[in-house]
Every structure is written in structure tokens, then in C-alpha cells.
Amino acid sequence: MKYEWKKQEKDLYGVKQNPALITVPIQNYIMISGKGSPNNEDFSNRVAALYSLAYAVKMGYKLAAAKGGIFSDISDFAVYPLEGVWRKQKQRDGLVKEELEYTIMIRQPDFITENMVCTALENVKKKKPNPWYEEIRFDTMADGKCIEMLHIGTFDDEPASFEKMARFAKQNGLKRGESCHREIYLNNPTRVEQSKLKTILRFSVT
């Protein structure tokens, strides 16, 4: 059986275009941090390193399952989408992309262990060298209670969606927990028209 997050985790990824309250459980990720604009080459290089490792983990698991080394009925899985946690280095009005801090990540299924990731990392270093592999780490994150909504359109138009989320929070007596927010990119900005981009937006609340 192939594990597919789109089908089996609709509660987390089947997000609508209206704000909603959700509790996000602890999740495993491979992740890398950086600073600056997402339009910079440095950001693209970090994304490329993450994806190379993510697919190496997937192929390593699939090969082990085919050889009978996995004691599970799951023989393969779909790679999760890219995510990013973003915060401003300086808290002021407006957005200066060069002043952003971020951690980008790709979620790993619960049945993928840190040892599996380390093995895949050693293999991909040999087959597809990238200096950014050294900065990738395996870790967990627990967002807890969050407000989320699906944003359709360009990244620069996200403030309008965040305003809707802020109004929803106020109407429900909730306060934003942190200044940072999470974005989950459901399609590839290099292959889809900007007006059709689908991004899940989340921020924690108390």
C-alpha cells in the first residue's frame, strides 16, 4: 500500500478558503534554516537540498520494503509538500523580504525514523553533492492550536488572507501565540500560474 497524505490526511491538508480552528499534532520533519528573501538563490539551493534528501528517504524506504526489510503493509509513500515557518528579523510595519528569517521543511511520515534519514543523507551526499546537506536536521514540531485557511493567489497577496484570519481570531476570543506563521505550498510556483498558487496559511493562537 502506498501512503498518500492528500488522501489520508484530509483533516490537515484539505483546507478551505475560510479561516478555521485546528489542532496540529507533533510532526517529524527534515528542515533547514536561513535568512533573506525567498527570491534569492540561497533559498532555492536550500529547497533543492531538502527535496533531494526527501526523495532519497522515500527511495530508501521503498527499496527496503521491496526487499522485505520493512515490517509494515506500507510499501511506499508520497513526498509531503514544502513548508516554511517565517518571521521578521525586525518588527515593523510593512514587509522587507531581505529581513526575513525562515525554516523550510518537508514533513516525514511517522514510520520514517531518524536513522533512516541519516542513511539516506549519507547516500545522497555521494550521488548528488550539495553543501547545504550539512545544515539539514531531523526534528519535530508541534504547532498545537492554530487558525488556518487556504490562500489562492500570489504570495504578495497573502496579507488579505491574514487579515481574514486575524478577524476570525478576534471574533472567537483568540490571540495570536507567536509573531511567526507557517506556509504549506500545495503546488509548484515554477509550474503553476501565480494566480492559481495554493498555500495553506497557519498561525498559532491561545
Side-chain angles (χ1 to χ4, degrees):
M1 179 185 79
K2 183 176 182 179
Y3 189 87
E4 299 186 71
W5 54 270
K6 283 184 180 180
K7 296 179 180 179
Q8 288 149 299
E9 297 186 66
K10 291 182 180 180
D11 56 329
L12 290 174
Y13 299 100
V15 181
K16 307 302 182 183
Q17 285 182 264
N18 296 311
L21 191 62
I22 186 174
T23 299
V24 183
I26 295 175
Q27 298 173 331
N28 299 327
Y29 293 93
I30 52 172
M31 57 180 71
I32 186 170
S33 299
K35 296 180 180 180
S37 171
N39 298 323
N40 293 344
E41 185 179 359
D42 178 76
F43 179 81
S44 298
N45 289 338
R46 292 171 189 272
V47 171
L50 268 183
Y51 270 113
S52 293
L53 177 55
Y55 278 97
V57 172
K58 167 189 166 70
M59 295 310 297
Y61 181 90
K62 186 176 180 179
L63 181 61
K67 292 181 176 180
I70 300 295
F71 300 102
S72 170
D73 59 348
I74 298 174
S75 58
D76 191 10
F77 64 92
V79 171
Y80 281 84
L82 180 71
E83 305 186 27
V85 173
W86 297 87
R87 59 168 40 89
K88 297 178 182 178
Q89 293 182 51
K90 300 177 181 178
Q91 295 304 314
R92 58 182 175 183
D93 293 338
L95 176 64
V96 180
K97 292 183 179 180
E98 292 295 342
E99 294 179 356
L100 289 170
E101 294 180 340
Y102 59 83
T103 299
I104 50 175
M105 62 200 79
I106 297 176
R107 189 178 159 198
Q108 299 300 295
D110 293 341
F111 50 82
I112 294 297
T113 67
E114 186 171 5
N115 284 339
M116 291 177 182
V117 172
C118 289
T119 298
L121 183 58
E122 291 306 311
N123 290 334
V124 78
K125 281 180 180 178
K126 298 172 185 176
K127 295 179 180 179
K128 197 174 183 180
N130 187 318
W132 296 119
Y133 292 143
E134 301 301 329
E135 296 191 25
I136 296 177
R137 61 192 185 277
F138 178 89
D139 207 346
T140 62
M141 296 188 77
D143 288 357
K145 188 192 297 185
C146 297
I147 290 174
E148 68 176 7
M149 72 173 286
L150 178 65
H151 172 79
I152 297 181
T154 69
F155 300 132
D156 290 340
D157 289 339
E158 287 179 358
S161 292
F162 280 119
E163 286 181 12
K164 292 180 182 179
M165 295 165 71
R167 287 197 297 269
F168 179 85
K170 187 175 181 179
Q171 291 166 359
N172 288 275
L174 300 167
K175 293 183 178 180
R176 191 158 176 168
E178 297 180 280
S179 60
C180 64
H181 72 273
R182 180 181 295 273
E183 300 184 358
I184 303 175
Y185 310 105
L186 298 181
N187 45 22
N188 189 331
T190 64
R191 299 178 181 177
V192 176
E193 289 181 27
Q194 295 292 299
S195 62
K196 296 180 180 178
L197 288 174
K198 293 182 179 181
T199 308
I200 297 174
L201 305 178
R202 282 186 193 151
F203 58 68
S204 65
V205 290
T206 57

